[in-house]
Amino acid sequence: MNRGIIIAAAALIAIVRADAQPITGEEIMKHTAILADDKMEGRGTGSKGERLAADYIAEQFKAIGLLPGNSGSYIQGVPLIGMTADQSMTVAFQKGSEVITARYYDEIVGGSGVVSPSVNLDGELVFVGYGISAPEQKWDDYKDVDVRGKVLLMLVNDPPSTDEKFFGGRAMTYYGRWTYKYEEAGRKGAAGAILIHIEDTAGYPWQVPQQSWSGERFLPEQEQDPLKLRAWLRGDVAERVVGMAGKDLQTLVASAASPDFKPVPLHVTVKATFENQIRHLSAPNAIGMLPGAVTKERYVVVSAHHDHFGIGKPDATGDAIYNGAHDNAVGVATLLACARALAIVHPKDSVLFLTYTGEEQNLLGSEYYVHHPVVPLDRTIAVVNVDGGNSRGRTLDARAQGAEKSDLDAIVAEAAKSAGMKISPDPFPEKGYYFRSDHFSFARAGVPGFTLSSGLEYEGRPAGWGESVAVEYIRTQYHQPSDEVDDTWDLSGQVQVAELVVRIVERIAERKGEIRWNEDCEFQRP
């Protein structure tokens, strides 16, 4: 038989087999409802509920026919240190006889990066603008000022810019992320760092850091942060503190937008004393492996995080379970649907399905995997990550955060076109979503990847409707107990995302050679 006919016939068989069991909204809803059920207790990192979720994912991997990905097990343990700061802690700002005491949770949230049962902080407060040292941008907020032992007050995000070559223009760079700011403060020898929460610049309301930075926080077992205090301070309280120093916060913010900015000593003393509860634990990543039909040594990673915030402070209705239905039970459910479909299609390259712990704790699960991979990273071709879900119906587009940084851009665009869709740019580049999902851990290690999610151009809806829905979700459900499964959900748009993942993985597996970063990209393979 002619070779071309054989290839065509094989392709037709693959299509028929895949179509015999199409991905459906019912399938995604079934997994989502189980993972976001109250019995999972919000899947908090290292909790009983998270272990139940990981066990369920492992059972589904086995039922699909995936091989155990970690030396005969579907689970990879991630060693962590959990620390819970005393909920009655207060942070006092003092100048002379005047004292402003920030109330924990209502006005300030955070804890310590130092693994110690007791924390005592007493340091001078210094405003350091955006807290950025970026030589390639000719920008240094520290100006060689010695801030060792000081407590640094700083702004979130990057300096304002409309020039894409200067701090990414509208798009946030890693310098704008709170993770960088704490890291740099530690490198400078500071005793503490306090971020000012202003909703317009942060991109989310106060209740997001309230939930994310209260209760138990986690650090990698092998690392320790040098900062005694890592905190977020509500904007109006920051105004009062700066006012106590005889300064105006808006004037300071304006001055921080200039490359000539220099640190401003506020002559205010910060005092904080609190206790930490400390525990050592192992939290689960889940790993399933589909060997390639042709090549066993090359791997495409399909991933999603399964953790959320567990049981926390009750909302106005008394609900204390942070179910994380959209974030990210739907994403894990989508991954499971993709795993079943890809096991039928059976791509040429191997596929590794990963779900992570600790994403909500600064990507801890994916960061651990990158340092302890079950497959060498030089044989990991690319990462397709799924984070978040569309429960509003079909869209004309999808988003691929970070695909534009590598050869993946053309692959994703081609896959979307074959599905009758398009890839839209990030509508909220200032929020830095690229740095907030697990593909970023791989990017830092040199492996190209991106996070795929539904677009915002909904079929049959007017222009702008999708963006308004997204903004409303951030305001009313994101990282809140109200992010629950609803019987009125329309998951047809999430089915589109799942089908697109399958198309993308197949195309990556068909490709010969590496996926390469763009030459001007900040990430490259070692």
Side-chain angles (χ1 to χ4, degrees):
M1 184 180 289
N2 180 281
R3 183 172 180 271
I5 295 175
I6 293 174
I7 293 173
L12 179 60
I13 290 170
I15 292 170
V16 170
R17 290 173 67 195
D19 287 347
Q21 290 182 293
I23 296 172
T24 66
E26 290 75 17
E27 177 182 13
I28 295 175
M29 177 63 99
K30 181 193 76 171
H31 295 310
T32 303
I34 291 171
L35 291 166
D37 190 271
D38 282 356
K39 293 178 182 177
M40 297 292 181
E41 299 179 346
R43 309 184 307 281
T45 298
S47 68
K48 172 188 173 183
E50 188 194 30
R51 290 192 295 274
L52 288 174
D55 288 345
Y56 174 78
I57 294 163
E59 290 169 4
Q60 297 307 306
F61 284 168
K62 183 176 181 179
I64 289 166
L66 304 183
L67 300 179
N70 186 34
S71 302
S73 174
Y74 290 102
I75 300 298
Q76 178 188 50
V78 179
L80 299 173
I81 299 172
M83 293 202 301
T84 306
D86 183 357
Q87 299 294 291
S88 63
M89 70 177 283
T90 56
V91 179
F93 301 88
Q94 182 174 357
K95 183 174 183 181
S97 60
E98 187 178 359
V99 178
I100 295 174
T101 300
R103 299 188 310 276
Y104 189 77
Y105 195 79
D106 290 334
E107 297 177 331
I108 192 168
V109 288
S112 179
V114 177
V115 181
S116 173
S118 297
V119 175
N120 289 282
L121 175 70
D122 189 336
E124 181 186 344
L125 189 65
V126 179
F127 178 70
V128 293
Y130 290 91
I132 295 172
S133 292
E136 76 282 6
Q137 298 284 355
K138 298 181 180 178
W139 190 278
D140 181 16
D141 283 322
Y142 290 93
K143 300 293 191 297
D144 294 324
V145 173
D146 186 359
V147 294
R148 287 176 295 178
K150 309 295 186 183
V151 180
L152 309 183
L153 184 67
M154 61 184 72
L155 303 168
V156 297
N157 218 317
D158 300 301
S161 169
T162 56
D163 181 356
E164 291 185 1
K165 295 182 180 179
F166 183 69
F167 287 107
R170 279 189 62 214
M172 182 189 289
T173 69
Y174 187 58
Y175 292 116
R177 287 286 289 147
W178 58 263
T179 47
Y180 165 80
K181 295 173 189 294
Y182 288 142
E183 290 165 359
E184 186 65 13
R187 286 189 287 265
K188 296 293 186 182
I194 301 174
L195 299 180
I196 301 172
H197 178 268
I198 301 171
E199 185 168 340
D200 288 346
T201 54
Y204 37 75
W206 174 243
Q207 59 257 36
V208 173
Q210 266 187 321
Q211 173 51 39
S212 304
W213 285 85
S214 60
E216 189 171 28
R217 296 289 301 171
F218 296 87
L219 294 171
E221 180 71 59
Q222 71 276 17
E223 295 181 16
Q224 183 166 318
D225 189 316
L227 297 177
K228 289 184 178 180
L229 179 68
R230 300 187 302 166
W232 289 73
L233 183 66
R234 212 174 67 194
D236 60 320
V237 182
E239 286 184 10
R240 289 166 50 208
V241 170
V242 169
M244 181 170 62
K247 306 288 185 181
D248 175 71
L249 181 59
Q250 296 307 314
T251 301
L252 288 180
V253 170
S255 69
S258 167
D260 297 327
F261 170 83
K262 295 180 180 179
V264 180
L266 296 176
H267 306 293
V268 170
T269 301
V270 183
K271 295 183 179 182
T273 302
F274 56 94
E275 304 297 313
N276 276 322
Q277 292 181 6
I278 302 172
R279 67 178 179 126
H280 298 263
L281 65 147
S282 178
N285 285 339
I287 309 176
M289 186 179 296
L290 177 65
V294 176
T295 307
K296 304 294 192 292
E297 292 77 22
R298 288 165 45 101
Y299 288 82
V300 181
V301 168
V302 178
S303 65
H305 76 90
H306 59 242
D307 68 304
H308 199 56
F309 286 104
I311 298 174
K313 190 175 180 68
D315 64 8
T317 69
D319 188 356
I321 299 178
Y322 290 70
N323 302 86
H326 288 96
D327 183 17
N328 188 36
V330 171
V332 175
T334 302
L335 177 144
L336 292 174
C338 292
R340 180 190 60 75
L342 285 165
I344 296 171
V345 176
H346 214 154
K348 288 184 177 181
D349 286 347
S350 299
V351 185
L352 200 65
F353 296 92
L354 283 167
T355 72
Y356 310 108
T357 183
E359 188 269 357
E360 303 289 8
Q361 301 288 332
N362 194 22
L363 315 181
L364 293 181
S366 56
E367 187 71 18
Y368 181 83
Y369 176 85
V370 162
H371 288 97
H372 303 85
V374 301
V375 173
L377 294 184
D378 61 3
R379 287 171 24 206
T380 304
I381 306 305
V383 177
V384 182
N385 187 57
V386 183
D387 194 351
N390 170 12
S391 60
R392 300 282 185 167
R394 292 177 61 83
T395 62
L396 303 173
D397 62 334
R399 290 173 289 167
Q401 302 278 358
E404 72 282 355
K405 294 177 179 286
S406 71
D407 295 342
L408 289 167
D409 195 27
I411 295 172
V412 171
E414 179 188 312
K417 185 177 180 180
S418 72
M421 303 173 71
K422 65 179 181 179
I423 298 298
S424 291
D426 183 1
F428 309 111
E430 69 282 359
K431 295 184 180 180
Y433 287 127
Y434 180 80
F435 310 104
R436 293 162 58 177
S437 286
D438 288 298
H439 69 267
F440 182 56
S441 296
F442 286 84
R444 294 178 80 172
V447 180
F450 65 97
T451 289
L452 187 70
S453 58
S454 185
L456 297 178
E457 294 184 25
Y458 286 82
E459 292 184 0
R461 298 289 187 176
W465 186 84
E467 285 194 26
S468 66
V469 167
V471 170
E472 182 66 8
Y473 166 75
I474 294 294
R475 189 182 70 83
T476 62
Q477 290 185 285
Y478 180 59
H479 289 186
Q480 298 180 51
S482 53
D483 185 6
E484 297 182 305
V485 172
D486 190 321
D487 291 339
T488 65
W489 279 11
D490 177 355
L491 290 174
S492 58
Q494 196 63 23
V495 171
Q496 289 178 295
V497 172
E499 292 173 342
L500 192 51
V501 169
V502 173
R503 291 172 185 264
I504 291 168
V505 170
E506 287 187 287
R507 280 166 170 76
I508 293 173
E510 291 285 337
R511 180 189 174 94
K512 295 180 181 179
E514 285 188 345
I515 301 292
R516 292 184 173 85
W517 295 103
N518 299 341
E519 289 186 4
D520 61 350
C521 180
E522 65 269 40
F523 308 109
Q524 298 294 332
R525 284 193 181 268

